[in-house]
Amino acid sequence: MWRLVPPKLGRLSRSLKLAALGSLLVLMVLHSPSLLASWQRNELTDRRFLQLNKCPACFGTSWCRRFLNGQVVFEAWGRLRLLDFLNVKNVYFAQYGEPRESGRRRVVLKRLGSQRELAQLDQSICKRATGRPRCDLLQAMPRTEFARLNGDVRLLTPEAVEGWSDLVHCPSQRLLDRLVRRYAETKDSGSFLLRNLKDSERMQLLLTLAFNPEPLVLQIFPSDEGWPFAKYLGACGRMVAVNYVGEELWSYFNAPWEKRVDLAWQLMEIAEQLTNNDFEFALYLLDVSFDNFAVGPRDGKVIIVDAENVLVADKRLIRQNKPENWDVWYESKFDDCDKEACLSFSKEILCARSTVDHNYYAVCQNLLSRHATWRGTSGGLLHDPPSEIAKDGRLEALLDECANPKKRYGRFQAAKELREYLAQLSNNVR
């Protein structure tokens, strides 16, 4: 299976962007009255803008009071709806403040999909419920698979949701109990019993799980407990709020060598934590690029900011069920696909082996080594090392073996040695 990201657009693309920008300026002049109104109005208090009217075909309501009370406001250009056509991912930056607090903090707002993907979701719900592409979503949701667990259903079971998304490609009961217990879009969180949730809350949970499980990943593996993900704050309708971490990793591509070494060490530590932890859940990153990580401006900590494509395998369940070759170490296959941010993997194997090197492979190939390409660049985060390190050759050898091993099980050993070597270089020895 391939994850492909198209290469950087060339001169034609830049010309088209300039033309689009010129057209935008004309539109802004023609619509100056509405432009001024858009700038002055806080649309985050508008139920329709939040798509709260589409609930329970939404992501939750826990933050609605904050949105509707005007505690969340767009930053600068985010207020201009004319710019939405450039915001394909539907990600916004905003400021949030509590009434009794003097300052505000930056947050990130996500619709979890493009306008096209959200429209397709609506059509899918309507067609399943009524056979027509348009309908009243409030009336349609109880007639879809998202309502299959309504009523006196005790547990969310693997059979009900297996394969709905990467998060539940091979779910265990232990994972699903953890999900229900930590579900933040209910007042009765803390219990693994599904029947403690309202029917509307169950439908919201299942829809989020199927459409984009990122908010659920952040809730199951919260940053407060040391997991390397952005902190989930809440949702209102089809707008999810998470904390702002910092600039994306890409902005550090040409940072001083010492800084890049520290970031590389942290990335390898993240790969290790997600692969081997006391909870015995292996979290495999299926989409690894410079845009999916960010760096805190104060503590310099690397955090995953896009967790849509995370596959979770329960190592306890693997050892218990003992599928074929479960205890044979699995080495991910290196493929130079000549594209940006691509990975080769088998979800079925990730779900069936107790020892897997996928996360080391993903970080080394797509972020650190000379094989990493992004936005037309190559060489990876550790490009152009100081002359003494380049002459020594150890770093290049470890990166090459981690990305494209020549020895059997070579990546496992190279990843371990690379973590230790980067710790020495960055004085992060523990």
Short mmCIF file of all heavy atoms in Angstrom, two decimals, residues 69-128:
data_model
loop_
_atom_site.label_atom_id
_atom_site.label_comp_id
_atom_site.label_asym_id
_atom_site.label_seq_id
_atom_site.Cartn_x
_atom_site.Cartn_y
_atom_site.Cartn_z
N ASN A 69 -20.58 31.81 23.08
CA ASN A 69 -20.40 32.97 23.96
C ASN A 69 -19.33 33.94 23.45
O ASN A 69 -19.04 34.93 24.11
CB ASN A 69 -20.04 32.52 25.37
CG ASN A 69 -21.22 31.93 26.12
OD1 ASN A 69 -22.36 32.03 25.68
ND2 ASN A 69 -20.95 31.29 27.26
N GLY A 70 -18.73 33.63 22.32
CA GLY A 70 -17.74 34.53 21.75
C GLY A 70 -16.36 34.42 22.36
O GLY A 70 -15.54 35.33 22.19
N GLN A 71 -16.08 33.32 23.05
CA GLN A 71 -14.77 33.16 23.68
C GLN A 71 -13.70 32.70 22.70
O GLN A 71 -12.51 32.72 23.02
CB GLN A 71 -14.87 32.14 24.83
CG GLN A 71 -15.72 32.61 25.99
CD GLN A 71 -15.94 31.50 27.01
OE1 GLN A 71 -17.07 31.14 27.31
NE2 GLN A 71 -14.87 30.96 27.54
N VAL A 72 -14.13 32.29 21.50
CA VAL A 72 -13.20 31.86 20.46
C VAL A 72 -13.36 32.78 19.25
O VAL A 72 -14.48 32.95 18.75
CB VAL A 72 -13.46 30.40 20.02
CG1 VAL A 72 -12.36 29.92 19.09
CG2 VAL A 72 -13.58 29.48 21.24
N VAL A 73 -12.27 33.38 18.81
CA VAL A 73 -12.34 34.31 17.67
C VAL A 73 -11.23 33.98 16.68
O VAL A 73 -10.12 33.61 17.07
CB VAL A 73 -12.22 35.78 18.13
CG1 VAL A 73 -13.40 36.18 18.99
CG2 VAL A 73 -10.92 36.01 18.88
N PHE A 74 -11.55 34.12 15.40
CA PHE A 74 -10.54 33.90 14.36
C PHE A 74 -9.42 34.92 14.47
O PHE A 74 -9.63 36.05 14.89
CB PHE A 74 -11.17 34.03 12.97
CG PHE A 74 -11.93 32.82 12.52
CD1 PHE A 74 -13.23 32.94 12.06
CD2 PHE A 74 -11.34 31.57 12.52
CE1 PHE A 74 -13.93 31.84 11.62
CE2 PHE A 74 -12.04 30.45 12.09
CZ PHE A 74 -13.34 30.58 11.65
N GLU A 75 -8.24 34.49 14.04
CA GLU A 75 -7.13 35.42 13.92
C GLU A 75 -7.16 36.07 12.54
O GLU A 75 -7.36 35.40 11.54
CB GLU A 75 -5.79 34.69 14.10
CG GLU A 75 -5.53 34.22 15.52
CD GLU A 75 -4.15 33.61 15.64
OE1 GLU A 75 -3.50 33.37 14.60
OE2 GLU A 75 -3.72 33.37 16.78
N ALA A 76 -6.96 37.34 12.49
CA ALA A 76 -6.72 38.12 11.26
C ALA A 76 -7.44 37.59 10.03
O ALA A 76 -8.66 37.65 9.93
CB ALA A 76 -5.21 38.22 11.03
N TRP A 77 -6.65 37.02 9.09
CA TRP A 77 -7.19 36.63 7.79
C TRP A 77 -8.18 35.48 7.88
O TRP A 77 -8.95 35.25 6.95
CB TRP A 77 -6.06 36.28 6.84
CG TRP A 77 -5.15 37.42 6.58
CD1 TRP A 77 -3.90 37.60 7.06
CD2 TRP A 77 -5.43 38.57 5.78
NE1 TRP A 77 -3.37 38.79 6.63
CE2 TRP A 77 -4.30 39.42 5.83
CE3 TRP A 77 -6.54 38.99 5.03
CZ2 TRP A 77 -4.23 40.63 5.16
CZ3 TRP A 77 -6.48 40.21 4.36
CH2 TRP A 77 -5.34 41.01 4.43
N GLY A 78 -8.19 34.79 8.97
CA GLY A 78 -9.16 33.71 9.13
C GLY A 78 -10.59 34.22 9.17
O GLY A 78 -11.53 33.45 8.97
N ARG A 79 -10.76 35.51 9.38
CA ARG A 79 -12.11 36.08 9.43
C ARG A 79 -12.71 36.27 8.04
O ARG A 79 -13.93 36.47 7.90
CB ARG A 79 -12.07 37.43 10.12
CG ARG A 79 -11.52 37.39 11.54
CD ARG A 79 -11.47 38.79 12.13
NE ARG A 79 -10.80 38.81 13.42
CZ ARG A 79 -10.61 39.91 14.14
NH1 ARG A 79 -11.04 41.08 13.68
NH2 ARG A 79 -9.98 39.86 15.29
N LEU A 80 -11.88 36.24 7.00
CA LEU A 80 -12.36 36.53 5.65
C LEU A 80 -12.79 35.24 4.95
O LEU A 80 -11.98 34.39 4.62
CB LEU A 80 -11.25 37.22 4.84
CG LEU A 80 -10.75 38.55 5.39
CD1 LEU A 80 -9.64 39.10 4.51
CD2 LEU A 80 -11.90 39.55 5.50
N ARG A 81 -14.07 35.12 4.71
CA ARG A 81 -14.61 33.91 4.07
C ARG A 81 -14.19 33.82 2.61
O ARG A 81 -14.17 32.74 2.02
CB ARG A 81 -16.13 33.89 4.17
CG ARG A 81 -16.66 33.90 5.60
CD ARG A 81 -16.57 32.52 6.27
NE ARG A 81 -15.24 32.02 6.47
CZ ARG A 81 -14.42 32.40 7.46
NH1 ARG A 81 -14.81 33.33 8.31
NH2 ARG A 81 -13.22 31.87 7.60
N LEU A 82 -13.82 34.96 2.00
CA LEU A 82 -13.37 34.94 0.61
C LEU A 82 -12.10 34.12 0.45
O LEU A 82 -11.78 33.65 -0.64
CB LEU A 82 -13.13 36.37 0.11
CG LEU A 82 -14.37 37.17 -0.30
CD1 LEU A 82 -13.97 38.60 -0.60
CD2 LEU A 82 -15.03 36.55 -1.51
N LEU A 83 -11.36 33.93 1.55
CA LEU A 83 -10.10 33.19 1.49
C LEU A 83 -10.29 31.69 1.72
O LEU A 83 -9.33 30.92 1.66
CB LEU A 83 -9.12 33.74 2.52
CG LEU A 83 -8.69 35.20 2.35
CD1 LEU A 83 -7.75 35.61 3.47
CD2 LEU A 83 -8.01 35.40 1.00
N ASP A 84 -11.51 31.26 1.99
CA ASP A 84 -11.75 29.86 2.32
C ASP A 84 -11.38 28.92 1.18
O ASP A 84 -11.01 27.76 1.43
CB ASP A 84 -13.22 29.65 2.71
CG ASP A 84 -13.49 30.10 4.15
OD1 ASP A 84 -12.51 30.39 4.87
OD2 ASP A 84 -14.67 30.17 4.55
N PHE A 85 -11.47 29.40 -0.07
CA PHE A 85 -11.18 28.50 -1.19
C PHE A 85 -9.69 28.14 -1.23
O PHE A 85 -9.30 27.14 -1.84
CB PHE A 85 -11.63 29.13 -2.52
CG PHE A 85 -10.68 30.15 -3.08
CD1 PHE A 85 -9.76 29.80 -4.06
CD2 PHE A 85 -10.72 31.46 -2.64
CE1 PHE A 85 -8.89 30.75 -4.58
CE2 PHE A 85 -9.84 32.41 -3.16
CZ PHE A 85 -8.92 32.05 -4.13
N LEU A 86 -8.85 28.95 -0.55
CA LEU A 86 -7.43 28.62 -0.46
C LEU A 86 -7.15 27.66 0.71
O LEU A 86 -6.11 27.00 0.74
CB LEU A 86 -6.61 29.90 -0.27
CG LEU A 86 -6.61 30.90 -1.43
CD1 LEU A 86 -5.89 32.17 -1.01
CD2 LEU A 86 -5.97 30.30 -2.67
N ASN A 87 -8.09 27.59 1.64
CA ASN A 87 -7.92 26.78 2.84
C ASN A 87 -8.54 25.39 2.60
O ASN A 87 -9.56 25.03 3.17
CB ASN A 87 -8.59 27.47 4.04
CG ASN A 87 -8.29 26.77 5.35
OD1 ASN A 87 -7.48 25.84 5.42
ND2 ASN A 87 -8.97 27.21 6.41
N VAL A 88 -7.88 24.61 1.77
CA VAL A 88 -8.43 23.33 1.34
C VAL A 88 -8.62 22.38 2.52
O VAL A 88 -9.61 21.64 2.59
CB VAL A 88 -7.50 22.67 0.29
CG1 VAL A 88 -8.04 21.31 -0.12
CG2 VAL A 88 -7.35 23.58 -0.92
N LYS A 89 -7.70 22.41 3.47
CA LYS A 89 -7.78 21.47 4.60
C LYS A 89 -8.76 21.91 5.68
O LYS A 89 -8.99 21.17 6.64
CB LYS A 89 -6.39 21.28 5.22
CG LYS A 89 -5.41 20.55 4.30
CD LYS A 89 -4.10 20.29 5.03
CE LYS A 89 -3.13 19.51 4.16
NZ LYS A 89 -1.85 19.22 4.87
N ASN A 90 -9.33 23.11 5.54
CA ASN A 90 -10.27 23.62 6.54
C ASN A 90 -9.66 23.66 7.94
O ASN A 90 -10.26 23.22 8.93
CB ASN A 90 -11.54 22.76 6.57
CG ASN A 90 -12.59 23.27 5.59
OD1 ASN A 90 -12.64 24.45 5.26
ND2 ASN A 90 -13.44 22.37 5.12
N VAL A 91 -8.45 24.20 8.02
CA VAL A 91 -7.75 24.38 9.30
C VAL A 91 -7.60 25.87 9.55
O VAL A 91 -7.14 26.61 8.67
CB VAL A 91 -6.37 23.69 9.30
CG1 VAL A 91 -5.63 23.98 10.60
CG2 VAL A 91 -6.52 22.19 9.09
N TYR A 92 -8.01 26.32 10.74
CA TYR A 92 -7.99 27.74 11.07
C TYR A 92 -7.20 27.98 12.36
O TYR A 92 -7.10 27.10 13.21
CB TYR A 92 -9.41 28.27 11.30
CG TYR A 92 -10.38 28.01 10.17
CD1 TYR A 92 -11.12 26.83 10.14
CD2 TYR A 92 -10.58 28.94 9.15
CE1 TYR A 92 -12.03 26.59 9.11
CE2 TYR A 92 -11.49 28.71 8.13
CZ TYR A 92 -12.21 27.53 8.12
OH TYR A 92 -13.11 27.28 7.11
N PHE A 93 -6.69 29.19 12.50
CA PHE A 93 -6.05 29.61 13.75
C PHE A 93 -6.96 30.61 14.44
O PHE A 93 -7.57 31.47 13.81
CB PHE A 93 -4.69 30.24 13.48
CG PHE A 93 -3.70 29.26 12.88
CD1 PHE A 93 -3.43 29.27 11.53
CD2 PHE A 93 -3.07 28.32 13.68
CE1 PHE A 93 -2.53 28.38 10.96
CE2 PHE A 93 -2.17 27.42 13.13
CZ PHE A 93 -1.91 27.44 11.78
N ALA A 94 -7.07 30.47 15.75
CA ALA A 94 -7.98 31.32 16.51
C ALA A 94 -7.39 31.62 17.88
O ALA A 94 -6.37 31.04 18.29
CB ALA A 94 -9.34 30.64 16.66
N GLN A 95 -8.03 32.56 18.58
CA GLN A 95 -7.66 32.91 19.94
C GLN A 95 -8.79 32.54 20.87
O GLN A 95 -9.97 32.74 20.57
CB GLN A 95 -7.38 34.41 20.05
CG GLN A 95 -6.17 34.88 19.27
CD GLN A 95 -4.86 34.49 19.92
OE1 GLN A 95 -4.78 34.37 21.14
NE2 GLN A 95 -3.83 34.28 19.11
N TYR A 96 -8.43 31.96 22.01
CA TYR A 96 -9.46 31.53 22.98
C TYR A 96 -9.13 32.10 24.36
O TYR A 96 -7.97 32.12 24.77
CB TYR A 96 -9.51 30.01 23.06
CG TYR A 96 -10.18 29.48 24.31
CD1 TYR A 96 -11.55 29.62 24.50
CD2 TYR A 96 -9.43 28.86 25.31
CE1 TYR A 96 -12.16 29.16 25.64
CE2 TYR A 96 -10.03 28.39 26.46
CZ TYR A 96 -11.40 28.53 26.63
OH TYR A 96 -12.01 28.07 27.78
N GLY A 97 -10.15 32.56 25.05
CA GLY A 97 -9.94 33.08 26.40
C GLY A 97 -11.14 32.81 27.29
O GLY A 97 -12.28 32.83 26.84
N GLU A 98 -10.88 32.54 28.56
CA GLU A 98 -11.93 32.36 29.56
C GLU A 98 -12.33 33.74 30.09
O GLU A 98 -11.50 34.66 30.15
CB GLU A 98 -11.44 31.49 30.70
CG GLU A 98 -11.31 30.01 30.35
CD GLU A 98 -12.66 29.32 30.22
OE1 GLU A 98 -13.69 29.94 30.57
OE2 GLU A 98 -12.68 28.16 29.75
N PRO A 99 -13.60 33.91 30.48
CA PRO A 99 -14.08 35.23 30.93
C PRO A 99 -13.26 35.84 32.06
O PRO A 99 -13.04 37.03 32.11
CB PRO A 99 -15.52 34.94 31.37
CG PRO A 99 -15.92 33.72 30.59
CD PRO A 99 -14.67 32.91 30.46
N ARG A 100 -12.80 35.01 32.99
CA ARG A 100 -12.10 35.54 34.16
C ARG A 100 -10.59 35.55 34.00
O ARG A 100 -9.86 35.83 34.94
CB ARG A 100 -12.48 34.72 35.40
CG ARG A 100 -13.97 34.81 35.74
CD ARG A 100 -14.31 33.99 36.99
NE ARG A 100 -15.72 34.08 37.30
CZ ARG A 100 -16.30 33.45 38.33
NH1 ARG A 100 -15.54 32.70 39.14
NH2 ARG A 100 -17.59 33.57 38.55
N GLU A 101 -10.12 35.22 32.81
CA GLU A 101 -8.69 35.23 32.55
C GLU A 101 -8.33 36.46 31.73
O GLU A 101 -9.10 36.90 30.88
CB GLU A 101 -8.27 33.97 31.79
CG GLU A 101 -8.43 32.70 32.61
CD GLU A 101 -8.00 31.47 31.83
OE1 GLU A 101 -7.61 31.62 30.65
OE2 GLU A 101 -8.06 30.36 32.39
N SER A 102 -7.17 37.03 32.00
CA SER A 102 -6.77 38.27 31.33
C SER A 102 -6.28 38.03 29.91
O SER A 102 -6.54 38.82 29.01
CB SER A 102 -5.67 38.96 32.14
OG SER A 102 -4.56 38.09 32.30
N GLY A 103 -5.57 36.95 29.69
CA GLY A 103 -4.98 36.71 28.38
C GLY A 103 -5.75 35.72 27.54
O GLY A 103 -6.73 35.11 27.98
N ARG A 104 -5.31 35.58 26.31
CA ARG A 104 -5.87 34.59 25.40
C ARG A 104 -4.76 33.65 24.95
O ARG A 104 -3.59 34.00 24.99
CB ARG A 104 -6.50 35.27 24.18
CG ARG A 104 -7.82 35.97 24.46
CD ARG A 104 -8.39 36.60 23.20
NE ARG A 104 -9.72 37.12 23.41
CZ ARG A 104 -10.84 36.43 23.21
NH1 ARG A 104 -10.76 35.18 22.77
NH2 ARG A 104 -12.03 36.96 23.42
N ARG A 105 -5.15 32.48 24.51
CA ARG A 105 -4.18 31.53 23.99
C ARG A 105 -4.59 31.11 22.59
O ARG A 105 -5.77 31.12 22.23
CB ARG A 105 -4.05 30.31 24.89
CG ARG A 105 -5.35 29.55 25.13
CD ARG A 105 -5.06 28.23 25.82
NE ARG A 105 -6.26 27.65 26.41
CZ ARG A 105 -6.41 26.35 26.62
NH1 ARG A 105 -5.45 25.52 26.28
NH2 ARG A 105 -7.52 25.87 27.17
N ARG A 106 -3.59 30.71 21.83
CA ARG A 106 -3.83 30.33 20.44
C ARG A 106 -4.32 28.89 20.37
O ARG A 106 -3.80 28.02 21.08
CB ARG A 106 -2.54 30.48 19.64
CG ARG A 106 -2.77 30.61 18.15
CD ARG A 106 -1.46 30.83 17.40
NE ARG A 106 -1.71 31.28 16.04
CZ ARG A 106 -0.79 31.35 15.10
NH1 ARG A 106 0.46 30.98 15.37
NH2 ARG A 106 -1.10 31.79 13.89
N VAL A 107 -5.31 28.66 19.54
CA VAL A 107 -5.83 27.31 19.33
C VAL A 107 -5.94 27.07 17.82
O VAL A 107 -5.92 28.01 17.01
CB VAL A 107 -7.21 27.11 20.00
CG1 VAL A 107 -7.11 27.24 21.51
CG2 VAL A 107 -8.25 28.09 19.44
N VAL A 108 -6.06 25.79 17.47
CA VAL A 108 -6.24 25.40 16.08
C VAL A 108 -7.63 24.80 15.93
O VAL A 108 -8.04 23.95 16.73
CB VAL A 108 -5.17 24.37 15.65
CG1 VAL A 108 -5.39 23.95 14.19
CG2 VAL A 108 -3.78 24.95 15.83
N LEU A 109 -8.36 25.25 14.92
CA LEU A 109 -9.70 24.75 14.65
C LEU A 109 -9.68 23.91 13.37
O LEU A 109 -9.10 24.32 12.37
CB LEU A 109 -10.70 25.90 14.50
CG LEU A 109 -10.73 26.92 15.65
CD1 LEU A 109 -11.76 28.01 15.36
CD2 LEU A 109 -11.04 26.24 16.98
N LYS A 110 -10.31 22.75 13.43
CA LYS A 110 -10.32 21.85 12.28
C LYS A 110 -11.73 21.36 11.99
O LYS A 110 -12.47 21.01 12.90
CB LYS A 110 -9.43 20.63 12.56
CG LYS A 110 -7.98 20.93 12.84
CD LYS A 110 -7.18 19.63 13.03
CE LYS A 110 -5.71 19.90 13.24
NZ LYS A 110 -4.93 18.63 13.31
N ARG A 111 -12.05 21.31 10.71
CA ARG A 111 -13.32 20.68 10.29
C ARG A 111 -13.11 19.19 9.98
O ARG A 111 -14.06 18.50 9.62
CB ARG A 111 -13.90 21.39 9.07
CG ARG A 111 -14.43 22.80 9.37
CD ARG A 111 -15.37 23.25 8.28
NE ARG A 111 -15.79 24.63 8.41
CZ ARG A 111 -16.81 25.05 9.15
NH1 ARG A 111 -17.48 24.18 9.88
NH2 ARG A 111 -17.14 26.32 9.19
N LEU A 112 -11.88 18.74 10.05
CA LEU A 112 -11.51 17.32 9.87
C LEU A 112 -11.66 16.81 8.44
O LEU A 112 -11.56 15.61 8.20
CB LEU A 112 -12.31 16.41 10.82
CG LEU A 112 -12.16 16.70 12.31
CD1 LEU A 112 -12.94 15.67 13.12
CD2 LEU A 112 -10.71 16.70 12.73
N GLY A 113 -11.91 17.71 7.52
CA GLY A 113 -12.02 17.31 6.13
C GLY A 113 -12.25 18.52 5.25
O GLY A 113 -12.58 19.61 5.73
N SER A 114 -12.06 18.33 3.95
CA SER A 114 -12.31 19.42 3.00
C SER A 114 -13.80 19.62 2.81
O SER A 114 -14.62 18.79 3.24
CB SER A 114 -11.66 19.09 1.65
OG SER A 114 -12.29 17.95 1.07
N GLN A 115 -14.18 20.72 2.15
CA GLN A 115 -15.59 20.96 1.88
C GLN A 115 -16.18 19.82 1.05
O GLN A 115 -17.31 19.40 1.28
CB GLN A 115 -15.76 22.29 1.14
CG GLN A 115 -15.39 23.51 1.98
CD GLN A 115 -16.26 23.63 3.22
OE1 GLN A 115 -15.80 23.40 4.33
NE2 GLN A 115 -17.52 23.97 3.04
N ARG A 116 -15.40 19.33 0.11
CA ARG A 116 -15.86 18.23 -0.74
C ARG A 116 -16.08 16.95 0.07
O ARG A 116 -17.09 16.27 -0.10
CB ARG A 116 -14.84 17.98 -1.85
CG ARG A 116 -15.23 16.85 -2.80
CD ARG A 116 -14.17 16.67 -3.87
NE ARG A 116 -14.51 15.57 -4.77
CZ ARG A 116 -13.75 15.14 -5.76
NH1 ARG A 116 -12.58 15.74 -5.99
NH2 ARG A 116 -14.12 14.14 -6.53
N GLU A 117 -15.14 16.65 0.97
CA GLU A 117 -15.27 15.45 1.79
C GLU A 117 -16.47 15.54 2.73
O GLU A 117 -17.19 14.55 2.95
CB GLU A 117 -13.98 15.23 2.59
CG GLU A 117 -12.81 14.81 1.72
CD GLU A 117 -11.48 14.86 2.45
OE1 GLU A 117 -11.36 15.65 3.42
OE2 GLU A 117 -10.56 14.14 2.05
N LEU A 118 -16.71 16.72 3.29
CA LEU A 118 -17.86 16.90 4.17
C LEU A 118 -19.17 16.79 3.40
O LEU A 118 -20.14 16.22 3.90
CB LEU A 118 -17.75 18.25 4.87
CG LEU A 118 -16.64 18.35 5.92
CD1 LEU A 118 -16.39 19.81 6.31
CD2 LEU A 118 -16.96 17.51 7.15
N ALA A 119 -19.19 17.33 2.18
CA ALA A 119 -20.39 17.21 1.34
C ALA A 119 -20.65 15.75 0.98
O ALA A 119 -21.80 15.29 0.97
CB ALA A 119 -20.25 18.05 0.08
N GLN A 120 -19.58 15.01 0.70
CA GLN A 120 -19.72 13.59 0.40
C GLN A 120 -20.24 12.82 1.60
O GLN A 120 -21.02 11.86 1.46
CB GLN A 120 -18.37 13.02 -0.07
CG GLN A 120 -17.95 13.50 -1.45
CD GLN A 120 -16.56 13.03 -1.83
OE1 GLN A 120 -15.75 12.65 -0.97
NE2 GLN A 120 -16.25 13.06 -3.12
N LEU A 121 -19.81 13.22 2.78
CA LEU A 121 -20.32 12.59 4.01
C LEU A 121 -21.83 12.79 4.13
O LEU A 121 -22.57 11.83 4.40
CB LEU A 121 -19.61 13.18 5.23
CG LEU A 121 -20.15 12.77 6.60
CD1 LEU A 121 -19.95 11.27 6.82
CD2 LEU A 121 -19.46 13.57 7.71
N ASP A 122 -22.29 14.02 3.91
CA ASP A 122 -23.72 14.30 3.97
C ASP A 122 -24.50 13.46 2.96
O ASP A 122 -25.54 12.88 3.27
CB ASP A 122 -23.98 15.79 3.73
CG ASP A 122 -23.49 16.66 4.88
OD1 ASP A 122 -23.20 16.10 5.96
OD2 ASP A 122 -23.38 17.88 4.68
N GLN A 123 -23.99 13.42 1.74
CA GLN A 123 -24.67 12.65 0.69
C GLN A 123 -24.71 11.17 1.03
O GLN A 123 -25.72 10.50 0.80
CB GLN A 123 -23.97 12.86 -0.64
CG GLN A 123 -24.13 14.26 -1.22
CD GLN A 123 -23.43 14.40 -2.57
OE1 GLN A 123 -22.97 13.43 -3.16
NE2 GLN A 123 -23.33 15.64 -3.05
N SER A 124 -23.62 10.67 1.59
CA SER A 124 -23.57 9.26 1.97
C SER A 124 -24.61 8.93 3.04
O SER A 124 -25.30 7.91 2.96
CB SER A 124 -22.16 8.91 2.47
OG SER A 124 -22.10 7.60 2.93
N ILE A 125 -24.72 9.79 4.04
CA ILE A 125 -25.70 9.57 5.10
C ILE A 125 -27.12 9.58 4.52
O ILE A 125 -27.94 8.72 4.82
CB ILE A 125 -25.56 10.66 6.19
CG1 ILE A 125 -24.24 10.49 6.93
CG2 ILE A 125 -26.73 10.60 7.17
CD1 ILE A 125 -23.91 11.63 7.87
N CYS A 126 -27.38 10.56 3.66
CA CYS A 126 -28.72 10.69 3.08
C CYS A 126 -29.07 9.51 2.18
O CYS A 126 -30.19 8.99 2.24
CB CYS A 126 -28.83 12.00 2.30
SG CYS A 126 -28.83 13.48 3.34
N LYS A 127 -28.12 9.08 1.36
CA LYS A 127 -28.40 7.97 0.45
C LYS A 127 -28.65 6.68 1.22
O LYS A 127 -29.51 5.88 0.84
CB LYS A 127 -27.23 7.79 -0.52
CG LYS A 127 -27.18 8.85 -1.60
CD LYS A 127 -26.02 8.61 -2.57
CE LYS A 127 -26.01 9.65 -3.68
NZ LYS A 127 -24.86 9.46 -4.61
N ARG A 128 -27.90 6.46 2.29
CA ARG A 128 -28.11 5.25 3.08
C ARG A 128 -29.45 5.27 3.80
O ARG A 128 -30.07 4.22 3.99
CB ARG A 128 -26.98 5.10 4.11
CG ARG A 128 -25.63 4.81 3.48
CD ARG A 128 -24.53 4.85 4.52
NE ARG A 128 -23.21 4.73 3.89
CZ ARG A 128 -22.06 4.83 4.55
NH1 ARG A 128 -22.08 5.05 5.86
NH2 ARG A 128 -20.92 4.72 3.91
#
